[in-house]
Amino acid sequence: MSSLFLRTLREDPADADVPSHRLLVRAGYIRRVAPGGYAWLPLGLRVLRNVERVVREEMDAIGAQEIQFPALLPREPYEATGRWTEYGPNIFRIKDRKGADYLLGPTHEELFTLTVKGEYSSYKDYPVILYQIQAKYRDEERPRAGILRGREFLMKDSYSFDLDDDGLSRSYLLHRDAYIRIFDRVGLRYVIVHAMSGAMGGSASEEFLAESEVGEDTFVRCPESGFAANVEAVTTPAPPAQPIEGKPDAQVHHTPSTPTIESLVDFLNAANLGRTFTAADTLKNVMVKIRQPGEDKWELLGVGVPGDREVDMKRLAASLSPAEVALLDDADFEANPFLVKGYIGPGALAANGVRYLVDPRVVTGTAWVTGADRADHHVVDLVCGRDFTPDGTVEAAEVREGDPSPDGAGVLVAARGIEIGHIFQLGRKYADAFTLDALGPDSKPIRITMGSYGIGVSRLVAAIAEQHHDDLGLVWPREVSPFDVHVVTAGKDDAVRGGAEELAAELDTAGIAVLLDDRPASPGVKFADAELVGVPTILVVGRGLAKGVVEVKDRATGERTEVPVEDAVRHLTALVRG
Amino acid sequence: MSSLFLRTLREDPADADVPSHRLLVRAGYIRRVAPGGYAWLPLGLRVLRNVERVVREEMDAIGAQEIQFPALLPREPYEATGRWTEYGPNIFRIKDRKGADYLLGPTHEELFTLTVKGEYSSYKDYPVILYQIQAKYRDEERPRAGILRGREFLMKDSYSFDLDDDGLSRSYLLHRDAYIRIFDRVGLRYVIVHAMSGAMGGSASEEFLAESEVGEDTFVRCPESGFAANVEAVTTPAPPAQPIEGKPDAQVHHTPSTPTIESLVDFLNAANLGRTFTAADTLKNVMVKIRQPGEDKWELLGVGVPGDREVDMKRLAASLSPAEVALLDDADFEANPFLVKGYIGPGALAANGVRYLVDPRVVTGTAWVTGADRADHHVVDLVCGRDFTPDGTVEAAEVREGDPSPDGAGVLVAARGIEIGHIFQLGRKYADAFTLDALGPDSKPIRITMGSYGIGVSRLVAAIAEQHHDDLGLVWPREVSPFDVHVVTAGKDDAVRGGAEELAAELDTAGIAVLLDDRPASPGVKFADAELVGVPTILVVGRGLAKGVVEVKDRATGERTEVPVEDAVRHLTALVRG
């Protein structure tokens, strides 16, 4: 430590608001050099390399082959798939000295597809899984939390190429298992959540979320069944249809001054209609417009959700993907005067040929209070299947704690997580864009089906730090710790120093990575730094040496064990080798 | 090989004009994805990682500490040192979504300096050597020769920080020795040449050039002494001064139609002046203009060289660095009518206060034929020190084979090389720019002195391929080969295949990296691919197996050795371990 390029800080950095950021800076693992850009100092780089090694070992173990693309990529392939435009301001774009367009790769689907197309031609060549571990770039609007969300970050991205859907499923499961092993080895608590694919298009998709209060991803899970999902991927169980017969007729009511659901419910309950209404009895119709990929024209769409829930635009967007969705503006309302703001009902939509999708809870026979398509008027007891017929259902209503789990096992609770991995059945989107075919046994082309799979390698370091720290500092899991043993001398006499150096040398010979604190600092400073740096095992060489003992301290538990000097190397080697 | 992501090509790629490029593409090591941008396929990445490992081991061995900066860097530090401007169109510049300026790092002097300043404060902290191995970017005007000159490439850059010049010398020599070990280990023939520093400013500087006909760097060396240098760094020995007394007076001659040195010499020799003139007797005055860094104004400068040599603008620029140098344009001549194009002599320069620098061969007492500052007139026997007095000397004349070696040991011969490393005493340029001081023992600040040191890691792969190939393919040195042993089966029967697989498995267990050709291809195809791929040892398992022997073939020499099957693993392990 006397020569290590490391200076720990006593104060928290001003710009750090999450524990991993604070501690990784204080303990000298990383330094900020630009917004969302960090330098890895020696300790940090050792942790990063350890994580990278675990990822590489597990990828190699499933037969994935490592290659490496440039980060600076030409525009054309991304133009071909539409991603050049779709990414908007989220990618870094560059013009070279000749004015040609380039980008800094966010992910490399296009290049992998083109490369496989360049090398492989026969069905006998497949399947293949390729990966790289490489700096990736995204021009995040708000880089935050140090290396948790940076603009340059290390990522493992892999891509599978299969002849058919069964093959894709196998490649997907291979990755799923590899990811489980990786995250287990680096000591993370995580959940695997069903995820919607968003802009990437495709079918099955799961995210690995490290549970953490500072995570940006919200998810829900069912404690009873272990079900976990992105809110975008939660499906709402439909209640059974109800008989229509016997329902009262629909009646239009004059409902002045009821601009909100709350005021409407209050009005109705004050109107003595013979029963009590709640917000859940109302049907709120939200108007949006959608545009299919490649189309210019926007189409109107009505979305009906129970009035006690907001429309969750992320859920709605995920449901309607790959179509683009936007709220109506004033011009849209002016152009469609049949839309009476605040009083829109299914009637006007049907009469004007506007598609109308409803929450899955809106089943045949359910009766609703909703807009009557006239200012200051609502209709009561509008029955689905009798008075209106939706064009289908849509997952648009917000998901709340206490909602039933889609698997029927219990109710959902909310949680937060850090996205550390994403596995994803792309299907044929990229193979279609670049005509990636294999020549089949019958000499007919077989369109290849793909998967893409990512792990945020540098983000993993932050996620591990979030889950493994205490008030004193970092507490690394053994597999990723920058060193195996941190040797601290307590006392300045030559015997102590000599003894510590000798033990460090013996450990080194035994293949143990040792950090020796040989600085002429006080024991207090050294102990504080050892706690901050977070190597899992601390060997204290101090006064006990005269009696032939040293102390082994477990960083995580604080437990101290006296060990005879002559047993120290054997004891520590056993600890490290686990 | 049946599953390896590798397809060898029979034809040379159309855009490849040097052997390394041709063979690395044909043998499936690299693939072009953009101008100057290459993907590393599995074999190529293994070689790259091997080279990287050697570099890392030797850097660690001199106590250098590895860190890692982003490649995407903010403009400000590069603005502070002037490099943002100096690099001109050679760096990639980017604006982020907020319009802030960034660049893709060409080298990281600024960031390392700032980081050391951020961490270190006392003289006790020094010296320190830091390095990184990282993708670097340069917007080359003409990327060429595959990975030999790309726009994105892998580089090891290190930086030393010392308290004084002696320290810098030590850090410099540590690097020099480490580089020698690195280049020796990866099997390169190279020379270490004295180099001029160019735009980086500083003092001692050496380049490591891998000897190669396809290299872009020319250098000269003296076979007798081993002296080697960049032409920019060659100094011209000055002959002894001659006595002025007894030299004939200068005489102006009317020399019509003598626009070239050759026509002038012919004219004079036809004029019966009693002696024979050669081009070396004439003094050619070339006008340039120079501008000091940070200045707006250009200054005229006359450069006099013997008429038998051209002015080498690279040598002139290096001599005048850090000033910028340019040839005069028509407007400059119009603005300075005393410059009579084609007939410029020292007289008009002196009369008009124009600085005049001459070749070191122009010493006191030497007599020259030169311009008389009048159209169609030259002056003969203009004697240096009598008729004109230069303001100093300058290394501007071209260096030629046969010129005397600066060390006086013999004559120079020309050669070409690939720049694989550069070590460089930066001095205090960057420490000055960022006020990098250490607090001394007397509490006074000590300005830090720096060195910077680079190795083109990806370029090394190309340089090794240039030196290690034959007509059949690549011939890797053992240390960097993608595999240790290439096992080829000759024959399709199960015994041969089973025997080969068994041997491959045993070698693998012994820690030998084996490439097993288990494809159902003909022995001819397999042998050709083995030669092309270039693993140093080829193990042929064929008909001999029935008699209990296999064949070990040395890729480099073609030598074949029959080895009993039961000895094969021991024999190969010994070969590989050297």
Side-chain angles (χ1 to χ4, degrees), chain B residues 236-254:
Chain B
T236 307
Q242 298 177 23
I244 290 176
E245 262 170 50
K247 296 275 184 223
D249 286 345
Q251 324 103 42
V252 173
H253 288 263
H254 182 225

Side-chain angles (χ1 to χ4, degrees), chain A residues 215-234:
Chain A
E216 288 189 319
D217 289 83
T218 51
F219 65 101
V220 288
R221 55 197 173 94
C222 172
E224 286 79 4
S225 65
F227 168 86
N230 247 327
V231 286
E232 287 92 327
V234 171

Side-chain angles (χ1 to χ4, degrees), chain A residues 7 31 119 125 151, chain B residues 7 31 102 119 125 151:
Chain A
R7 292 295 176 266
R31 289 290 179 262
E119 304 302 308
D125 296 328
R151 300 205 292 179
Chain B
R7 291 295 176 267
R31 288 291 180 262
Y102 287 80
E119 304 301 309
D125 295 329
R151 302 205 291 178

Side-chain angles (χ1 to χ4, degrees), chain A residues 291-456:
Chain A
R291 185 163 67 175
Q292 300 301 330
E295 300 272 312
D296 281 339
K297 247 190 81 190
W298 291 90
E299 179 204 350
L300 285 185
L301 177 71
V303 174
V305 298
D308 62 333
R309 290 175 190 262
E310 296 302 322
V311 166
D312 179 333
M313 286 303 285
K314 278 175 76 179
R315 271 170 54 76
L316 177 62
S319 299
L320 298 175
S321 172
E324 202 178 340
V325 56
L327 290 169
L328 297 199
D329 55 26
D330 289 345
D332 293 316
F333 278 104
E334 274 168 41
N336 297 286
F338 61 91
L339 297 175
V340 185
K341 250 182 164 176
Y343 301 90
I344 298 167
L349 301 181
N352 290 279
V354 176
R355 206 147 66 96
Y356 182 50
L357 302 178
V358 295
D359 187 86
R361 278 164 283 233
V362 183
V363 293
T364 299
T366 50
W368 302 91
V369 177
T370 189
D373 296 315
R374 260 171 80 190
D376 295 335
H377 287 76
H378 283 91
V379 57
V380 176
D381 285 326
L382 198 75
V383 172
C384 182
R386 181 189 73 184
D387 304 322
F388 70 101
T389 307
D391 295 306
T393 62
V394 66
E395 291 292 348
E398 60 178 331
V399 172
R400 291 198 298 231
E401 288 199 287
D403 281 349
S405 173
D407 63 6
V411 297
L412 297 175
V413 296
R416 299 183 76 83
I418 299 165
E419 185 188 331
I420 49 176
H422 194 168
I423 55 177
F424 187 52
Q425 298 193 14
L426 279 176
R428 296 180 175 81
K429 170 178 169 168
Y430 291 90
D432 284 343
F434 299 111
T435 329
L436 174 59
D437 289 334
L439 204 62
D442 56 359
S443 296
K444 287 189 183 147
I446 303 168
R447 184 60 41 96
I448 295 302
T449 183
M450 292 168 54
S452 85
Y453 316 88
I455 288 182

Side-chain angles (χ1 to χ4, degrees), chain A residues 473-508:
Chain A
L474 297 158
V475 188
W476 294 111
R478 205 167 278 293
E479 180 95 54
V480 301
S481 176
F483 290 93
D484 297 320
V485 176
H486 191 144
V487 178
V488 175
T489 54
K492 289 190 181 177
D493 59 277
D494 288 352
V496 165
R497 210 172 47 224
E501 277 170 17
E502 207 172 297
L503 277 170
E506 284 175 39
L507 287 166
D508 186 68

Side-chain angles (χ1 to χ4, degrees), chain B residues 189-191 193 207-211 217-219 417-420:
Chain B
R189 279 175 289 109
Y190 60 93
V191 291
V193 305
E207 282 175 10
F208 291 74
L209 299 180
E211 293 174 53
D217 288 83
T218 51
F219 66 100
I418 299 165
E419 185 187 332
I420 49 176

